[in-house]
Amino acid sequence: MFLPGRSLVYAGTQVDPLTSEERQWLTEHDGKIRLAPSPNWEPLEFFDKNGVYNGMVADYMHLLEERLGFQFDVIKINTWENVLTLARRREVDLISVAHQTRERGKYLDWTPPLFTLSNTIIVKKSVSGVLSLGRMRHMSIGVPAGYAVYQYLKGTYPDLNLVPVSSGREGMRMVSFGELDAMIMEVPNALFVIENQQITNLRLAGTIDFKVELGIATRNDWPLLGTIMAKGVALITPEERAAIYEKWVRLEQTPFYRNPTFWTVVASMLLMVVVVMAAVIAINRTLKMQVAQRTEELRFNEKRLEALLQLNQMTDASLDEIMAFAVQEAVKLTRSRFGYLAFADSTGWLFTLNSLSSSSSRDWTSRRTPEGFPHAYKGLWGNALTTQAPVITNDYLTSNPKMAGIPDGMGSVVRYMNIPVVRQGEVVVVAGVGNKHVPYDTADQRQVTLLMAGMWRMVQRRRSEEALKQSEKRFRDLVESALTGITIVQAGQVVYSNPEQKRIMGLLMPFSTENYESIHPDDVEAVKAFYGAIYAATPGLHELEFRFTAEGDGGPLTWVNCRANPIEHQGEAAMLINSMDITRAKELERLLVTQEKMAALGHVAAGIAHEIRNPLSGINIYMSTLEKRMTAGRAISEIEPVFRQIRSASGKIESVIRRVMNFSKPCEPKIVLTQINKPVREALALSMMILTKSNIHVEQQMDEALPLCQAEAQLIEEVALNLITNAATALKAWPWEKRIRVSTFQRDSTIVLQVEDTGPGVPREERDRIFEPFFTTKNNSTGIGLSLCHRIVTDHGGSIRVEDSESGGACFVVTLPMDSVSVGQPG
């Protein structure tokens, strides 16, 4: 929350980016601006299991609060459609991110985009090939309900079988279980869900021709809020944007040797070996004193040590082999007749020694237990599970005379011992042995405990390694199937390129050569600089668009966008380059520019034709009249008026042509130091008679202490006269108050001329066009006036725009640069 006197840092400066009016408004609404995130949109934004707002967008929102010194009132809404409904009803004030559409534009304004996302097609791995929307008419396709992509697909591809789903996670689950054929969603969302939910049977099969530009959406009846948010977004640096993206969207897994758990396990194993060796040394010292009496026990302890060492050396064995070895060794080393092993999260075994022989080739019978701790065997592990401590019973018939919880066919149990392995307060494994011919002692307990602890470490390590391999394979598959070219450069050499990178670049294969013959000549210097940054591993984000011919001279020209940023690859510094083929986009852009130019040319031609048509028709009519009168022998006095009418119509045509020529080839302004109030007053004087006849009241608020500005007085007078005349025309048929206010004042290093009226104003949908040549909504108007004003102001190095006045009418604002000598000096 922003408090008086609090020092805030705005992107490295102590200067508040907000105006005093904006700061006052934000302070009054601190903690009251209702922010509605999109629910269940991982990793962009979501509420975690504790109800905390989290994700990429949440990080942006927290940065905005920090930069601008205030807090949002975050509201949790169950669905995206309800978010839009509440925004439409003004029950929320701001949507964290949303794509701009025409329908939403009726009640929302947008900041510049925070980021742009591609939409990907997700299918089962059993569906082969790259898919496009044109090949999916026979498929059921899931799309998040209420999202902009759903409306786009519904309007652009009406033949598709679209199925609205509540969230991307739900849609991908339905594809995984075969309830949907495909799912369309944003790439980061897809990657996050696949990783988080461990969905291993899905793949990315293509992208669609729709990208989501996500900006902050604010209610459009609070324009100050939109301006404040836009300024806040501008304070977020590219480095912060990249850090947020990398935090939530990852394509690599941390190598196992950088995992602290791995080194903890290694250290524990080393410590255990040290402990065992110390125990062996102590036992050996005792045995030296009792060699004759303890020879057999010494040999047996050596076997126990060998079992532990052999267990630790089973690095290539399967989990089943490790578990079976541990149980069988526990039975042999304790001289028992049976052993069992049960896991809390997987199956276990019951081993029975059938042979009475003491040879190493004993006869074992094994049975697989049900899932987890089997209830049928509770008589074997029940006490250990309850107490979470080793249990030794050397008179089992006394403790359990009915043999309850003993597997069928096992026979009688004379004595037994079971050992639980406890981790984080829970029993994860229970191991036991039974029917030793002499009572069990603490030495047996220690041996089985060490053996089971070693087995558990081996199992956990093997499970971690398998999980790591699967995770690495899954993300390698994603990278290999990505529709963006990916290259890793390390020490000046390419160490990895995915298939898409090779497809885009073809034989060129950049980043590993300095051969620039295939590069377009206009792009060679930029490419050299880009390569230099890559080879030097220069910190920061580097981006470049360039052209090349993959097949040498005469081949097709390819446009590619490359973005490079430093990463760490296998413990060493490297550069990650993402490449995208934008050839088609550039072609479409060129076609669009050409179409816009042709449309503008047609617009100008239509305007000129309209202006000339009326007087030219008059000339034709007058010529016909003149011909009839001359044929009839009329007197010159009757013919003279017709000549005057022809000259008048011809003059109108000449006037139109002159205005068009002045507009298309304006003369260079004769800029001198000017006091702007003088030409403005002269314009007022010229128009005062018209204003008085129209009963229009004029207010003048001119700052007499204004500094001089660089301008041509005659042209500024023409601009002011045009704006005043336009305001008077707008008020001519206005039935309510008719008032024009003309103001001049200084704002920062500019001089401002402002003309505002109380009329009907300029509709928002026309504001972007009113300065276009020949655009007009008035009868008997050429549509050149405002475009000429725009040209004059632009030639002066200034700007002109239209806003809503305080009274609801139009307010035209002209800014002109101040004389550089006068800047910072009082008028």
Side-chain angles (χ1 to χ4, degrees):
M1 180 180 297
F2 180 78
L3 298 174
R6 178 177 176 181
S7 177
L8 298 175
V9 177
Y10 310 99
T13 177
Q14 294 285 343
V15 179
D16 191 342
L18 305 183
T19 65
S20 58
E21 178 187 8
E22 292 167 346
R23 176 56 65 190
Q24 179 181 356
W25 187 94
L26 188 60
T27 302
E28 292 172 353
H29 291 78
D30 191 8
K32 302 175 184 178
I33 299 175
R34 297 166 294 183
L35 167 65
S38 174
N40 304 321
W41 199 17
E42 302 94 337
L44 296 174
E45 55 182 349
F46 57 95
F47 291 90
D48 63 19
K49 61 183 180 180
N50 298 319
V52 177
Y53 178 37
N54 214 335
M56 293 172 62
V57 180
D59 288 352
Y60 276 99
M61 296 298 105
H62 297 330
L63 272 178
L64 287 178
E65 291 178 324
E66 176 186 335
R67 293 289 193 270
L68 298 178
F70 81 109
Q71 287 184 338
F72 292 111
D73 177 16
V74 181
I75 301 174
K76 185 177 181 181
I77 300 172
N78 58 347
T79 67
W80 173 245
E81 291 176 307
N82 287 342
V83 170
L84 295 177
T85 299
L86 293 178
R88 192 181 302 110
R89 287 156 45 181
R90 308 297 191 191
E91 294 182 24
V92 296
D93 308 316
L94 180 146
I95 299 177
S96 48
V97 287
H99 181 74
Q100 185 172 359
T101 66
R102 180 177 300 177
E103 176 62 25
R104 298 172 186 173
K106 295 177 182 178
Y107 52 91
L108 294 172
D109 286 334
W110 271 264
T111 67
L114 295 179
F115 38 74
T116 300
L117 301 179
S118 298
N119 280 273
T120 185
I121 301 170
I122 301 155
V123 296
K124 280 188 173 182
K125 288 183 178 178
S126 58
V127 180
S128 61
V130 177
L131 295 182
S132 63
L133 293 175
R135 299 174 53 195
M136 300 174 67
R137 289 185 174 85
H138 63 286
M139 303 173 70
S140 58
I141 306 168
V143 187
Y147 281 25
V149 65
Y150 179 80
Q151 300 299 328
Y152 168 77
L153 293 175
K154 188 175 180 182
T156 309
Y157 298 92
D159 295 337
L160 293 180
N161 180 20
L162 301 180
V163 179
V165 296
S166 60
S167 66
R169 176 187 296 178
E170 174 64 15
M172 291 181 68
R173 184 198 66 79
M174 294 174 71
V175 175
S176 177
F177 285 100
E179 299 173 25
L180 289 173
D181 296 324
M183 179 69 191
I184 293 178
M185 59 193 297
E186 297 85 355
V187 172
N189 191 203
L191 295 177
F192 185 90
V193 172
I194 289 175
E195 176 185 6
N196 188 262
Q197 298 298 313
Q198 297 295 306
I199 303 176
T200 59
N201 66 336
L202 300 184
R203 71 179 185 90
L204 278 60
T207 57
I208 67 171
D209 55 347
F210 180 78
K211 291 188 177 181
V212 181
E213 292 189 346
L214 297 173
I216 300 174
T218 60
R219 52 188 294 179
N220 59 12
D221 59 339
W222 284 9
L224 271 180
L225 177 58
T227 303
I228 292 170
M229 289 299 102
K231 289 184 177 181
V233 169
L235 296 174
I236 302 176
T237 66
E239 292 76 14
E240 290 171 328
R241 291 173 181 256
I244 291 173
Y245 188 86
E246 292 173 2
K247 172 183 176 183
W248 291 100
V249 181
R250 296 179 182 271
L251 293 178
E252 296 183 355
Q253 291 291 311
T254 304
F256 71 91
Y257 54 80
R258 298 185 60 205
N259 191 330
T261 304
F262 169 77
W263 291 112
T264 301
V265 171
V266 172
S268 300
M269 293 179 65
L270 292 175
L271 179 61
M272 185 60 66
V273 172
V274 171
V275 171
V276 172
M277 295 301 295
V280 171
I281 292 172
I283 292 172
N284 285 335
R285 288 179 179 176
T286 303
L287 290 176
K288 287 179 182 180
M289 299 173 62
Q290 304 175 355
V291 173
Q293 298 87 358
R294 296 291 187 92
T295 301
E296 181 65 23
E297 186 176 347
L298 176 59
R299 287 198 301 267
F300 207 71
N301 283 329
E302 288 176 350
K303 291 181 180 179
R304 292 175 175 177
L305 180 58
E306 289 175 359
L308 285 174
L309 294 175
Q310 187 174 350
L311 177 64
N312 289 329
Q313 292 172 358
M314 297 179 67
T315 55
D316 297 328
S318 66
L319 288 178
D320 286 357
E321 292 172 341
I322 292 172
M323 296 173 190
F325 175 82
V327 177
Q328 293 174 1
E329 288 300 309
V331 171
K332 289 191 295 184
L333 293 174
T334 58
R335 300 182 177 91
S336 300
R337 304 304 298 175
F338 72 87
Y340 61 89
L341 183 68
F343 287 80
D345 59 350
S346 65
T347 58
W349 290 264
L350 173 65
F351 292 92
T352 304
L353 181 61
N354 299 325
S355 175
L356 298 178
S357 172
S358 60
S359 66
S360 58
S361 58
R362 295 182 175 184
D363 182 17
W364 294 93
T365 299
S366 63
R367 275 186 284 171
R368 197 98 173 178
T369 69
E371 185 74 16
F373 296 125
H375 184 76
Y377 299 174
K378 189 174 182 180
L380 296 180
W381 52 254
N383 290 340
L385 187 62
T386 303
T387 62
Q388 295 190 358
V391 176
I392 296 177
T393 301
N394 285 313
D395 187 0
Y396 190 74
L397 292 176
T398 301
S399 64
N400 189 7
K402 295 183 179 181
M403 293 291 179
I406 299 299
D408 295 335
M410 183 175 176
S412 62
V413 178
V414 178
R415 59 180 59 88
Y416 82 100
M417 175 179 68
N418 57 7
I419 305 294
V421 178
V422 182
R423 291 291 182 270
Q424 298 181 351
E426 295 184 0
V427 177
V428 293
V429 180
V430 173
V433 292
N435 287 353
K436 182 180 179 181
H437 66 282
V438 295
Y440 289 103
D441 55 22
T442 55
D444 295 322
Q445 175 185 319
R446 287 195 301 272
Q447 177 58 40
V448 176
T449 299
L450 290 173
L451 197 59
M452 293 304 118
M455 178 213 66
W456 177 250
R457 287 194 300 272
M458 294 288 289
V459 169
Q460 287 296 89
R461 177 179 177 182
R462 185 57 51 80
R463 288 178 176 176
S464 299
E465 290 174 351
E466 290 297 326
L468 181 60
K469 289 179 181 178
Q470 291 178 5
S471 180
E472 288 178 345
K473 181 180 183 303
R474 181 169 59 253
F475 281 99
R476 176 170 287 275
D477 289 343
L478 287 175
V479 173
E480 292 290 323
S481 303
L483 298 180
T484 300
I486 298 174
T487 298
I488 299 177
V489 176
Q490 195 171 55
Q493 298 293 325
V494 173
V495 297
Y496 174 77
S497 287
N498 72 342
E500 179 64 12
Q501 176 69 39
K502 297 174 182 177
R503 185 198 67 79
I504 293 174
M505 296 303 187
L507 299 176
L508 178 61
M509 289 306 295
F511 322 126
S512 60
T513 177
E514 294 189 1
N515 181 9
Y516 302 106
E517 294 181 359
S518 298
I519 307 297
H520 193 282
D522 294 344
D523 298 333
V524 169
E525 293 303 320
V527 171
K528 287 182 178 179
F530 186 73
Y531 282 14
I534 292 174
Y535 296 148
T538 306
L541 180 67
H542 309 280
E543 190 166 4
L544 174 69
E545 290 184 0
F546 66 93
R547 294 157 288 179
F548 69 91
T549 51
E551 300 176 1
D553 294 339
L557 189 67
T558 301
W559 273 92
V560 65
N561 175 277
C562 292
R563 176 177 292 184
N565 58 290
I567 62 168
E568 189 174 283
H569 177 65
Q570 297 182 348
E572 300 291 338
M575 293 293 286
L576 174 67
I577 301 101
N578 290 289
S579 304
M580 184 175 295
D581 188 343
I582 58 172
T583 306
R584 180 59 178 165
K586 287 294 184 179
E587 292 176 357
L588 294 175
E589 180 181 336
R590 179 181 59 80
L591 291 174
L592 182 60
V593 170
T594 302
Q595 290 176 354
E596 288 178 350
K597 290 181 178 179
M598 294 301 295
L601 179 61
H603 208 53
V604 171
I608 296 174
H610 176 75
E611 289 294 317
I612 294 177
R613 184 185 297 117
N614 290 337
L616 188 59
S617 298
I619 291 175
N620 291 333
I621 294 172
Y622 297 139
M623 289 294 294
S624 177
T625 303
L626 180 62
E627 181 182 5
K628 291 178 182 179
R629 292 185 180 181
M630 291 184 68
T631 302
R634 299 292 182 86
I636 193 64
S637 59
E638 296 182 18
I639 297 175
E640 181 62 30
V642 178
F643 280 117
R644 285 198 301 270
Q645 295 293 345
I646 292 174
R647 280 194 297 272
S648 175
S650 175
K652 291 179 180 179
I653 294 176
E654 182 182 357
S655 175
V656 170
I657 294 173
R658 184 170 57 254
R659 288 199 302 272
V660 171
M661 294 299 293
N662 289 339
F663 177 77
S664 60
K665 293 183 179 180
C667 58
E668 189 73 21
K670 299 176 181 179
I671 295 177
V672 296
L673 290 178
T674 304
Q675 224 297 336
I676 195 175
N677 287 345
K678 182 177 179 181
V680 174
R681 284 198 174 96
E682 290 177 356
L684 276 169
L686 288 173
S687 57
M688 191 56 68
M689 180 176 296
I690 298 175
L691 298 176
T692 303
K693 287 183 178 180
S694 300
N695 295 319
I696 298 174
H697 177 67
V698 179
E699 295 181 3
Q700 300 184 38
Q701 294 183 355
M702 300 189 190
D703 185 355
E704 299 299 336
L706 279 179
L708 300 177
C709 68
Q710 299 282 354
E712 181 177 343
Q714 183 178 351
L715 294 178
I716 298 304
E717 178 183 342
E718 185 175 348
V719 171
L721 186 60
N722 255 313
L723 296 180
I724 295 170
T725 302
N726 282 354
T729 303
L731 293 171
K732 186 174 182 180
W734 189 246
W736 294 285
E737 179 188 14
K738 299 181 179 182
R739 175 167 47 85
I740 296 176
R741 178 187 298 165
V742 181
S743 311
T744 59
F745 53 89
Q746 179 181 346
R747 178 185 292 162
D748 299 331
S749 59
T750 62
I751 301 297
V752 179
L753 164 63
Q754 195 165 280
V755 178
E756 51 189 314
D757 60 65
T758 58
V762 179
R764 288 183 177 273
E765 61 271 16
E766 296 178 1
R767 293 185 183 181
D768 293 337
R769 301 193 60 198
I770 60 173
F771 295 108
E772 294 180 5
F774 302 103
F775 176 80
T776 181
T777 59
K778 298 181 292 185
N779 296 327
N780 301 320
S781 172
T782 64
I784 294 180
L786 284 177
S787 59
L788 189 58
C789 291
H790 183 274
R791 176 63 65 84
I792 292 173
V793 173
T794 303
D795 289 345
H796 279 74
S799 66
I800 181 171
R801 66 182 185 276
V802 61
E803 302 172 348
D804 290 328
S805 70
E806 296 177 357
S807 60
C811 176
F812 284 84
V813 181
V814 177
T815 61
L816 296 172
M818 193 187 304
D819 175 30
S820 59
V821 179
S822 303
V823 175
Q825 299 180 0

